[in-house]
Amino acid sequence: MSFLEIRGVGMRFGGLQALDDVSFRVERGSVVGLIGPNGSGKTTLMNVISGVYKPTAGSVTFADKTIANVPTHQVCRLGIARTFQIVKPFASLTVRENVAVGAMYGRDGAKRTTAQAFDHASELLEIVSLARVADRPASDLTIPDRKRLEVAKALALDPDVLLLDEVMAGLNASEVDEALALLRSLSERGVTLIVVEHLMKAIMAVSTTIVVLAEGKKIAEGAPLEVTQSRAVIEAYLGARYVKRQEAARAVADARAAEGAR
Amino acid sequence: MAVATATAPPARRVGLGGITGSPLALKVVVGLLVLALAVPLLHNGYYENLFRGILMFSAMALGWNLIGGYTGYVSFGNVVFFGLGAYTSATLASHGIENVWVAVPLAIVVAAMFAVALGVPILRLKGHYFGIATLGIALAVQEIVANVDALGGGTGVTLHQAAWYSQYYYAMWLVCAGSLLVTWFIARSKFGYALVAIRENEDAAAVLGVNATYFKVAAWAISGMMAAAAGAVFAFSTGFIDPPSAFSVDNNVFPIVMVLLGGIGTVAGPVVGAILLTAINETLWSHFPQIHTLFFGAVIVIVVLFLPRGLLYLQNARGGLRGMIDSLSAYRV
Ligand SMILES: Nc1ncnc2c1ncn2[C@@H]1O[C@H](COP(=O)(O)OP(=O)(O)O)[C@@H](O)[C@H]1O
Ligand SMILES: [Mg+2]
């Protein structure tokens, strides 16, 4: 049995099929890049894996448990943590208090006193470069800092699997490099990552496997280079007409080259 | 996964100013509470009634603050607990047990059972729906009580008061001090942080491991216990209760306004609000007996419009003038 398995997952919102028969396995310690155009169902899949939504078809299993049967607040105790793409800070609490809540109620939370939870939160704020605003209310944070806070809150749960939904949006180039270094170090510590990101450079740099969604369906899965060169993926991203035009252009160029060689 | 860092953790701030509110205001309130112990020594019936009223409303406001302030679930029916507490005393009295010290613990148990039984279904409702459900429950319970002859029906119940009347003052003092102490403990505990996390974002709280249903029901139950204890003492101190007095609109609305006036989601705020609103009420009574209700309504509107998070918010470390402007723009429609 595999570590984390997504099996035939479907999610329907009224008339909209946001996910349709999506299946893949996530191996322990891997870094799965989950990509796809806007509205392709990436966030919905994160919500299903983290138990926030119950799928209307199929199942997600982790540690011999079907996530849909586990209350949302217990999913993190199994070892799955996630960030929210639309950030959800506890606005009136300080940044440190935000993270401390995770340290109090997450996987090892029962073992921590309030003071220990605050200490753990402080350590995590160092890691995500938020120590400088630790005592400010979360409502004061900029968008990139709010994304960092999401990551720190998820880390406070001591996860085995971390789902990151567009946490690099809005970061500048050097901040992206910092974030990538953080992901690598988490991965080296054995945390399994599922990363949604639009920045291809970032996805290519960290992923061991890439899964591509388009209109709720899985259209490709494999090693990064292989997947990004697949015709289906390029079509999904850039449109079928773009692919045809590219192919026509290449045919013309090839013909010219052939002519030139003659 | 253990994340280790070489850097020493910066100075931590456990609950300070954060969810406990202003430490200074808390000290002042505790000081006033200690002074209030001396009121019966004045042997002045007016003052004793006035201050017992403040203690009663403080306990009810502290109760409302727990569910409405800390947890963010605005209840419009907390008077139901007050009424249940009053009727616990009345029922005991009509069975010959005319003892406030027995009635208060029993009222607390009754409130807890009622809150758990109803809380599980109605705390699944979010936002305004919860508020409307609590109002419905309060009206329904009042109606039921008015129609049960064993509870005195619509005509009410008379309770015989003990010769030592000031015991009701001290009982109310204990109810208020106990409510303040419980709130203080909650605001410094993991429990308090769970409540605030639920208020700020229930989905995010759940993902962080907070069992929202459990904490909401617990908060509502503790909130109800405070109101019920106050109600149990009230029944004896007033000597007669009927459904309109036990479930009165005033006892439902005043605690909410007091919390808003004093400082929502702080430990001391509800007591500050109870003192101020009672003072305003008394002043208006003595100067404008005819149109006092009109003035009082105006005070409520002003509080809600201009001090949506209360006076204490103004001098809170995170508040100040900017805080007030922020809260105005955040809360005003
Ligand atoms: N709670 C919801 N209710 C209704 N529709 C939703 C909900 N969540 C997502 N959707 C829809 O599902 C589709 C996939 O959305 P999403 O998973 O957010 O895509 P992505 O993250 O890949 O951009 C979109 O059409 C979106 O509008
Ligand atoms: Mg998304």
Side-chain angles (χ1 to χ4, degrees):
Chain A
M1 191 167 158
S2 61
F3 183 58
L4 170 64
E5 182 160 3
I6 289 108
R7 204 181 305 144
V9 165
M11 185 79 211
R12 179 174 269 288
F13 296 111
L16 178 87
Q17 190 78 40
L19 289 174
D20 188 5
D21 197 23
V22 175
S23 299
F24 60 93
R25 287 158 179 240
V26 178
E27 301 307 330
R28 185 190 288 273
S30 61
V31 180
V32 176
L34 182 60
I35 63 172
N38 273 329
S40 57
K42 306 180 295 292
T43 297
T44 303
L45 186 56
M46 296 293 216
N47 279 322
V48 171
I49 297 174
S50 60
V52 173
Y53 291 164
K54 288 194 195 318
T56 47
S59 65
V60 176
T61 49
F62 177 73
D64 293 331
K65 295 221 164 53
T66 302
I67 296 295
N69 299 336
V70 179
T72 310
H73 69 271
Q74 276 175 13
V75 171
C76 69
R77 297 192 195 141
L78 293 181
I80 298 180
R82 58 88 54 91
T83 66
F84 286 98
Q85 180 187 356
I86 312 285
V87 293
K88 297 183 191 293
F90 304 132
S92 74
L93 293 183
T94 65
V95 171
R96 197 197 314 274
E97 286 172 327
N98 265 266
V99 181
V101 172
M104 288 172 194
Y105 288 99
R107 210 176 189 185
D108 296 333
K111 285 185 252 158
R112 291 194 186 102
T113 63
T114 316
Q116 285 167 340
F118 274 83
D119 287 344
H120 189 53
S122 301
E123 287 170 17
L124 294 170
L125 290 176
E126 292 282 346
I127 292 178
V128 301
S129 325
L130 281 180
R132 65 202 144 81
V133 288
D135 291 315
R136 300 270 290 280
S139 55
D140 282 3
L141 296 188
T142 61
I143 294 290
D145 279 350
R146 284 171 194 229
K147 299 263 177 185
R148 292 186 173 100
L149 177 56
E150 285 288 321
V151 176
K153 284 164 87 169
L155 288 177
L157 305 171
D158 307 289
D160 289 333
V161 179
L162 179 56
L163 315 179
L164 298 167
D165 198 352
E166 300 199 19
V167 293
M168 296 185 210
L171 300 190
N172 65 32
S174 71
E175 290 170 330
V176 167
D177 288 341
E178 259 173 51
L180 288 175
L182 173 60
L183 296 200
R184 282 201 201 89
S185 82
L186 290 171
S187 179
E188 275 160 20
R189 288 193 183 111
V191 182
T192 304
L193 301 172
I194 302 181
V195 184
V196 171
E197 213 57 65
H198 277 298
L199 203 60
M200 283 311 286
K201 175 188 155 243
I203 284 284
M204 299 290 284
V206 291
S207 306
T208 51
T209 312
I210 287 183
V211 171
V212 189
L213 292 181
E215 292 172 4
K217 293 191 177 65
K218 185 182 90 173
I219 58 164
E221 178 181 2
L225 276 175
E226 181 188 314
V227 163
T228 47
Q229 278 161 14
S230 114
R231 181 185 162 126
V233 174
I234 298 168
E235 267 188 23
Y237 266 91
L238 302 168
R241 276 173 58 197
Y242 174 85
V243 176
K244 288 219 182 83
R245 232 179 20 237
Q246 287 295 97
E247 279 171 358
R250 204 171 306 132
V252 171
D254 285 353
R256 289 225 178 99
E259 234 167 64
R262 215 169 338 120
Chain B
M1 182 210 65
V3 180
T5 41
T7 44
R12 71 179 116 84
R13 237 179 43 151
V14 183
L16 274 185
I19 68 173
T20 51
S22 151
L24 175 68
L26 187 57
K27 280 180 197 143
V28 171
V29 159
V30 170
L32 290 175
L33 203 56
V34 172
L35 286 179
L37 272 174
V39 169
L41 306 179
L42 301 174
H43 297 292
N44 178 321
Y46 169 77
Y47 282 124
E48 190 167 322
N49 279 334
L50 182 68
F51 281 88
R52 196 180 51 246
I54 292 176
L55 294 168
M56 178 182 96
F57 278 117
S58 294
M60 290 167 77
L62 284 161
W64 188 87
N65 186 42
L66 216 47
I67 187 73
Y70 279 104
T71 320
Y73 272 72
V74 171
S75 163
F76 291 123
N78 259 27
V79 73
V80 76
F81 294 109
F82 182 86
L84 286 174
Y87 269 92
T88 303
S89 289
T91 308
L92 281 178
S94 57
H95 289 82
I97 307 170
E98 309 211 283
N99 186 329
V100 72
W101 308 101
V102 175
V104 168
L106 194 64
I108 288 173
V109 173
V110 168
M113 292 191 324
F114 184 83
V116 171
L118 282 180
V120 175
I122 75 161
L123 281 157
R124 290 184 191 283
L125 302 170
K126 299 208 171 164
H128 307 308
Y129 297 102
F130 169 76
I132 292 165
T134 55
L135 183 58
I137 288 171
L139 295 173
V141 171
Q142 176 178 351
E143 207 50 42
I144 291 167
V145 169
N147 285 290
V148 175
D149 291 338
L151 296 172
T155 49
V157 185
T158 301
L159 298 90
H160 297 287
Q161 293 162 336
W164 180 41
Y165 185 69
S166 290
Q167 70 175 291
Y168 304 125
Y169 181 91
Y170 290 113
M172 201 65 98
W173 187 93
L174 279 177
V175 168
C176 176
S179 302
L180 187 67
L181 192 65
V182 167
T183 305
W184 181 75
F185 265 113
I186 288 175
R188 313 173 43 84
S189 67
K190 287 186 179 183
F191 187 94
Y193 278 103
L195 302 187
V196 175
I198 290 167
R199 174 186 79 199
E200 298 291 310
N201 194 308
E202 203 163 326
D203 284 340
V207 164
L208 293 187
V210 175
N211 181 351
T213 307
Y214 168 84
F215 285 104
K216 287 188 289 186
V217 172
W220 201 46
I222 299 171
S223 160
M225 292 178 197
M226 294 176 182
V233 182
F234 168 80
F236 278 106
S237 67
T238 187
F240 170 80
I241 59 160
D242 59 358
S245 68
F247 298 92
S248 78
V249 175
D250 282 3
N251 289 346
N252 205 14
V253 175
F254 282 16
I256 305 177
V257 180
M258 288 163 174
V259 172
L260 295 178
L261 179 62
I264 191 164
T266 65
V267 177
V271 182
V272 172
I275 296 168
L276 290 178
L277 200 71
T278 306
I280 294 169
N281 198 15
E282 283 300 306
T283 314
L284 292 176
W285 253 119
S286 51
H287 292 282
F288 315 98
Q290 266 89 45
I291 48 168
H292 136 272
T293 318
L294 179 72
F295 274 104
F296 198 67
V299 169
I300 293 178
V301 172
I302 289 168
V303 166
V304 173
L305 280 183
F306 294 103
L307 291 168
R309 283 196 215 165
L311 285 175
L312 288 195
Y313 198 75
L314 292 183
Q315 66 110 60
N316 183 321
R318 290 186 206 160
L321 196 59
R322 221 199 106 206
M324 189 175 97
I325 293 166
D326 285 352
S327 76
L328 276 178
S329 54
Y331 282 74
R332 272 177 79 179
V333 198

